[in-house]
Amino acid sequence: MKILAVDDDEVIRRLMSEILTNIGFRDVTFAASGKEALNILQAAKGPFDCFLLDIEMPGMTGITLVSHIRKMPDYARTPILMVTSMAERAYVDSAFAAGATDYVNKPIDVSEMHARLQLVSELVSERKKAKSERTDGTDGATALADTSERLHIENIDGVIDYLSLENYLLQLSRLSLFGNCAFGVAIKDSKHLFEGLSHYEFHSAVTDVAEALSECLKPHRFFLAHIGGGDFAGITDAGRQFDADEFELAVGQKLREMDLYYSNGRPMVVHISASDPIQLDWRSSRSSVNALLEAVGNAEQKTLSPADALIEIRPPVKPGH
Amino acid sequence: MNANFLAGLEKLREKFLAELSQRNASLKDAFSRLTAEDADENAIEDISWIAHKVSGSAATLGFKELGEQAARTERLILGTAGSHSADDAALRAEVTALIRLMDDPR
């Protein structure tokens, strides 16, 4: 795995070099500033697989550097780990909002660093394998969508990848989860709604729904991730103020305003169900992650009204028919 | 952990300690400027920066108490940004403790 590590402190750079070599990661390039890192990226012959970034650096902070890296098409999904002593929530929130994948606190714990990078390495290998399989097959945009895929959605406030959402929650649990809640959202009858769609159409539809959810969550601090099919998981600091029924109405209104269509011109009518919030106040980190999935399960259950159950037993109808 | 790794860490500890005395001289200078009659407004930023640098590497290299003290000092400054004066007893106490540990890191 090819890593670019950025830290202005020479002692830390040498320390990282020792640690990374010791745990089996030897292809590491170091930069002493954000500017130097960007120059390295511009000149690089092959892409990097992972970034390790300090936050507090003179000139350009690590968070600004994340934003620059995410704007580069080659690095839209590349894992970025913040390695920092800045543990306050404001830094954690800003890092994940800018596009960080994970957050490792200094002082560096060698075992923890090893575990996190091992997971990243497996993710990088899986993605490379999936990419080579796609390259061997048909055009990715027009091929039928795998609707179970967790989509990467860009440029919508508060919408991040599910892996980042889990890591954010784990980091938040080290600070304080008080006042935060998990919630789930499920698109009603998503199985039929998305049936027969190309990857491009599926991505567009999910992105539109994500945009509506983001708009309606804006009064509060939140992060949201697509977790496959028509399902989303989220965390918000709305706490006990989060009202699932009001949220469903607001999102429904927003989706009607957005006036969605299939690519063949047929209107796409999307309804969502939102779970009741699950308060995270005193939960452990692992229990909080479980709460995310529990909330999504609750949202899915809510979509199964008697009318929806009837649709379930009808034969599938292809879009355009 | 293999022997090469431990030897590498030992070299880094030596380098860290060599730089620590320079950083401590800078910290003492900044603290003097902060507590002077005509206090230097930049002194608090210099103290925060030195504390940040020390907290980043000290504990990883085995100087746990020093790392924690540096982190505490940095947190205090960041948590009350812009509101500190030379008379702030809490800040004086934290910086004094940090200087003492940098004089004799454990």
Side-chain angles (χ1 to χ4, degrees):
Chain A
M1 182 163 72
K2 193 175 169 187
I3 298 172
L4 177 60
V6 188
D7 200 304
D8 62 306
D9 190 329
E10 195 202 339
V11 172
I12 293 286
R13 290 199 300 278
R14 289 180 57 182
L15 183 60
M16 295 267 273
S17 174
E18 292 290 343
I19 292 172
L20 293 172
T21 303
N22 186 257
I23 60 180
F25 296 98
R26 291 178 174 81
D27 190 358
V28 186
T29 303
F30 287 93
S33 68
K35 194 178 172 193
E36 188 187 346
L38 292 175
N39 288 338
I40 289 171
L41 291 178
Q42 293 290 345
K45 291 217 167 67
F48 286 89
D49 298 312
C50 173
F51 296 94
L52 304 177
L53 308 183
D54 184 25
I55 286 186
E56 193 71 2
M57 296 186 284
M60 182 190 297
T61 70
I63 291 170
T64 305
L65 180 58
V66 174
S67 305
H68 284 298
I69 291 171
R70 286 296 183 228
K71 283 178 191 153
M72 300 179 183
D74 281 349
Y75 298 117
R77 300 193 72 184
T78 305
I80 300 179
L81 280 68
M82 309 311 291
V83 184
T84 177
S85 55
M86 311 304 284
E88 288 75 11
R89 177 158 183 178
Y91 291 100
V92 177
D93 282 354
S94 301
F96 280 96
T101 314
D102 204 352
Y103 205 95
V104 181
N105 290 107
K106 291 178 187 166
I108 300 166
D109 179 310
V110 179
S111 307
E112 187 187 351
M113 180 66 102
H114 191 190
R116 305 273 188 111
L117 282 176
Q118 203 58 47
L119 283 176
V120 168
S121 178
E122 286 165 16
L123 178 71
V124 167
S125 298
E126 277 172 28
R127 283 183 181 167
K128 278 183 179 169
K129 190 177 164 206
K131 192 179 175 186
S132 72
E133 284 171 1
R134 276 201 302 273
T135 311
D136 294 344
T138 52
D139 176 11
T142 55
L144 276 186
D146 170 8
T147 55
S148 65
E149 187 187 352
R150 286 176 178 167
L151 296 182
H152 169 70
I153 299 168
E154 292 176 25
N155 302 323
I156 298 180
D157 288 343
V159 180
I160 59 180
D161 286 351
Y162 182 69
L163 174 65
S164 303
L165 184 70
E166 269 199 11
N167 288 334
Y168 171 72
L169 189 50
L170 294 173
Q171 188 63 29
L172 203 58
S173 67
R174 294 179 175 197
L175 299 167
S176 169
L177 284 167
F178 195 81
N180 290 276
C181 66
F183 64 94
V185 173
I187 297 173
K188 288 184 180 175
D189 198 23
S190 61
K191 189 177 164 190
H192 296 132
L193 196 68
F194 294 147
E195 191 167 31
L197 295 191
S198 68
H199 179 78
Y200 174 78
E201 290 170 316
F202 174 56
H203 198 289
S204 301
V206 170
T207 301
D208 286 338
V209 175
E211 189 178 343
L213 297 173
S214 171
E215 284 294 320
C216 296
L217 285 163
K218 261 181 184 163
H220 299 284
R221 193 155 48 173
F222 71 94
F223 283 114
L224 180 73
H226 177 246
I227 66 162
D231 294 344
F232 294 83
I235 308 164
T236 170
D237 67 356
R240 283 165 183 78
Q241 293 171 31
F242 186 91
D243 184 311
D245 294 334
E246 277 182 20
F247 181 59
E248 279 178 13
L249 285 172
V251 174
Q253 174 66 29
K254 180 61 71 180
L255 287 167
R256 279 192 295 281
E257 287 169 15
M258 289 169 76
D259 209 10
L260 308 181
Y261 286 88
Y262 288 98
S263 59
N264 63 8
R266 200 161 55 93
M268 181 185 279
V269 182
V270 180
H271 297 287
I272 63 119
S273 286
S275 73
D276 285 328
I278 298 177
Q279 304 303 327
L280 300 175
D281 299 347
W282 307 110
R283 284 185 176 239
S284 67
S285 55
R286 191 42 55 191
S287 160
S288 300
V289 170
N290 291 340
L292 276 179
L293 300 177
E294 187 187 332
V296 175
N298 294 344
E300 279 183 347
Q301 278 297 317
K302 218 172 152 187
T303 64
L304 298 176
S305 65
D308 292 318
L310 284 175
I311 293 169
E312 281 293 313
I313 58 169
R314 288 202 315 237
V317 179
K318 286 191 175 176
H321 286 221
Chain B
M1 288 176 203
N2 65 36
N4 285 343
F5 178 58
L6 295 175
L9 281 191
E10 191 48 44
K11 274 188 189 167
L12 278 176
R13 277 170 64 94
E14 286 166 18
K15 183 174 171 54
F16 173 77
L17 287 172
E19 287 180 0
L20 194 65
S21 63
Q22 289 173 346
R23 282 181 175 160
N24 200 11
S26 303
L27 179 61
K28 286 171 182 170
D29 173 64
F31 193 45
S32 301
R33 287 188 280 121
L34 183 75
T35 52
E37 212 162 278
D38 53 339
D40 178 357
E41 288 177 4
N42 297 322
I44 193 75
E45 280 180 25
D46 293 344
I47 293 170
S48 176
W49 184 247
I50 293 164
H52 175 72
K53 287 287 188 186
V54 173
S55 77
S57 44
T60 310
L61 289 168
F63 303 103
K64 189 165 179 267
E65 196 180 349
L66 173 60
E68 286 172 356
Q69 181 57 42
R72 217 166 18 247
T73 307
E74 187 189 13
R75 269 201 306 276
L76 179 67
I77 295 171
L78 292 176
T80 51
S83 66
H84 271 296
S85 71
D87 296 330
D88 189 324
L91 177 64
R92 277 169 174 265
E94 296 295 359
V95 177
T96 304
L98 180 58
I99 288 171
R100 197 180 62 245
L101 282 168
M102 286 172 75
D103 276 330
D104 181 20
R106 278 162 273 175

